[in-house]
Amino acid sequence: MKNIYLLIVPFAFLCGCGNAGDNKKEKEDERVALASEPSKIAEVTTQRLSLRDFSHEVVSNGKVVGHSRADLAFPASDAVITSVAVKNGSHVKRGQQIATLDDYKQREELRKAENALAKAELELKDALIGQGFDPEASASVPAEVMKLARLRSGYDEAEAAVASARHSLEQTVLTAPFDGVVANLAGKVFNRPDNSKPFCTVIGNGMDATFQILESELPLLLPGDRIKVAPYSSSEEFAGRVAEINPVVDDKGMVTVTASVESGKGLYDGMNVKVSVLKSLGQQLVVPKSAVVLRSGRQVVFTVGDKKDKAMWNYVHTGLENMGEYTIVDGLEEGMEVIVSGNVNLAHEAPVKIVK
């Protein structure tokens, strides 16, 4: 038995040595294959580093509201709607008719008031003639005499009744208070208007964006600063400027800001938007965010050498940032050609090819 054991052990040792030799050979062959494979030249795009204006960006979510907005309604009345000249989305001009009510009652009240005024005018003339004055030459009548005569004749009261009746008649016609677009219109012809809510809303053509910023960001904003408004429903961007800053910090440390949008066409009242406030900080060395990569936890920007065929490794310190750029505080100089794409897997002095 002992002899058998002695025979097995050397055999196993020889087999193990044989496997180790095979593995070593495979690794050597793999290294030879890798060494014989030609290295690939990375294709990159570059950008010349120069001083240029940099805008710090404060980003917030907000809503679009009409710069001018009016809820229009008829006065409480039993009259029915006789006409509706617009619909939701209609553009209207200031003074343009929107809807009308049956005005029979108002016209009758005005006719009665005008008749009462005519009678009061006769009474006034009689009172003046009775005191020896010419009613056609009212300028020669003393002010106290005229005042007393108007009161006794009821002329002032009748005149006020006519003005009130005319106003009531005007209220049967709904008109646009300014240029804008009609919204929330629900009234129908031959129905009485619902006096518990507005008949419709007119939203002015100008638009505002309201949003909130952190209390710590207040020093970065001033009225007049440029903004960009981007609706979530489209890829469009609209320019504007900060119009007002509410001087109150709420319990969450937020401050409400209102900005006017220069061209509100394509924006709707209540629309959710992303607001970017752009604060110019003067001339800075600026690189795209894509140019900055991390190596061992440190920021690195690659530049190309004098022959423009190798990537050069540069440790940098970035300063402020916006949505797409960093300012460079240290590590680069003006005039360097910075690699802005194709730099993810680069190493120092790696061969590169600049492409457009």
Side-chain angles (χ1 to χ4, degrees), residues 61-344:
N61 295 320
K63 280 187 176 293
V64 172
V65 295
H67 182 72
S68 301
R69 179 190 175 104
D71 292 327
L72 306 183
F74 289 109
S77 171
D78 293 333
V80 299
I81 301 168
T82 56
S83 70
V84 178
V86 297
K87 58 184 178 181
N88 284 322
S90 294
H91 289 271
V92 292
K93 296 289 185 181
R94 180 179 180 180
Q96 181 177 332
Q97 180 177 299
I98 292 176
T100 60
L101 289 179
D102 180 12
D103 60 359
Y104 173 78
K105 181 179 179 180
Q106 286 76 15
R107 285 188 287 105
E108 283 299 304
E109 292 293 334
L110 178 59
R111 185 180 63 81
K112 290 177 182 179
E114 288 175 339
N115 288 339
L117 179 62
K119 291 180 181 179
E121 188 175 4
L122 291 176
E123 293 290 336
L124 175 61
K125 289 180 178 180
D126 287 344
L128 292 174
I129 291 172
Q131 297 186 52
F133 295 101
D134 183 2
E136 301 300 330
S138 58
S140 63
V141 180
E144 288 298 323
V145 174
M146 178 61 78
K147 180 179 179 181
L148 188 60
R150 289 169 70 98
L151 287 173
R152 286 179 177 176
S153 64
Y155 186 85
D156 286 344
E157 185 178 350
E159 195 174 44
V162 169
S164 177
R166 284 177 178 164
H167 179 71
S168 295
L169 181 60
E170 291 171 357
Q171 293 296 299
T172 62
V173 180
L174 215 56
T175 58
F178 43 75
D179 295 355
V181 64
V182 177
N184 299 330
L185 174 65
K188 302 292 184 181
V189 177
F190 306 124
N191 291 275
R192 291 184 175 86
D194 184 355
N195 294 316
S196 65
K197 61 182 181 181
F199 181 82
C200 70
T201 301
V202 176
I203 302 169
N205 294 327
M207 288 291 178
D208 291 338
T210 61
F211 58 98
Q212 291 188 313
I213 62 170
L214 293 171
E215 179 183 357
S216 59
E217 294 174 330
L218 266 176
L220 297 174
L221 260 71
L222 287 173
D225 284 346
R226 294 182 298 117
I227 68 160
K228 290 190 297 184
V229 176
Y232 289 103
S233 58
S234 71
S235 58
E236 290 186 87
E237 284 190 348
F238 300 84
R241 291 190 178 274
V242 174
E244 61 183 59
I245 301 173
N246 188 20
V248 175
V249 180
D250 65 17
D251 55 355
K252 297 179 181 177
M254 306 297 288
V255 178
T256 301
V257 180
T258 302
S260 59
V261 182
E262 294 171 3
S263 175
K265 188 176 181 181
L267 295 176
Y268 295 89
D269 189 82
M271 179 178 279
N272 294 305
V273 293
K274 181 177 73 174
V275 181
S276 303
V277 182
L278 306 175
K279 181 69 174 181
S280 178
L281 299 178
Q283 297 290 303
Q284 307 277 342
L285 285 176
V286 181
V287 297
K289 283 189 172 180
S290 61
V292 181
V293 295
L294 290 178
R295 294 290 189 270
S296 301
R298 296 182 63 182
Q299 292 177 313
V300 171
V301 172
F302 287 98
T303 57
V304 292
D306 295 335
K307 295 182 179 181
K308 299 185 179 182
D309 60 350
K310 290 184 179 180
M312 310 305 292
W313 176 306
N314 303 272
Y315 285 116
V316 298
H317 290 95
T318 59
L320 297 173
E321 65 177 291
N322 55 29
M323 291 295 289
E325 298 171 321
Y326 288 115
T327 61
I328 298 298
V329 177
D330 184 41
L332 297 177
E333 295 180 0
E334 185 178 3
M336 287 183 168
E337 194 162 354
V338 175
I339 296 175
V340 296
S341 70
N343 55 349
V344 176

Side-chain angles (χ1 to χ4, degrees), residues 33-53:
L34 290 173
S36 61
E37 183 180 353
S39 60
K40 295 182 179 178
I41 299 177
E43 294 186 345
V44 299
T45 59
T46 63
Q47 178 178 302
R48 183 73 62 179
L49 188 61
S50 62
L51 285 170
R52 58 188 179 85
D53 188 60

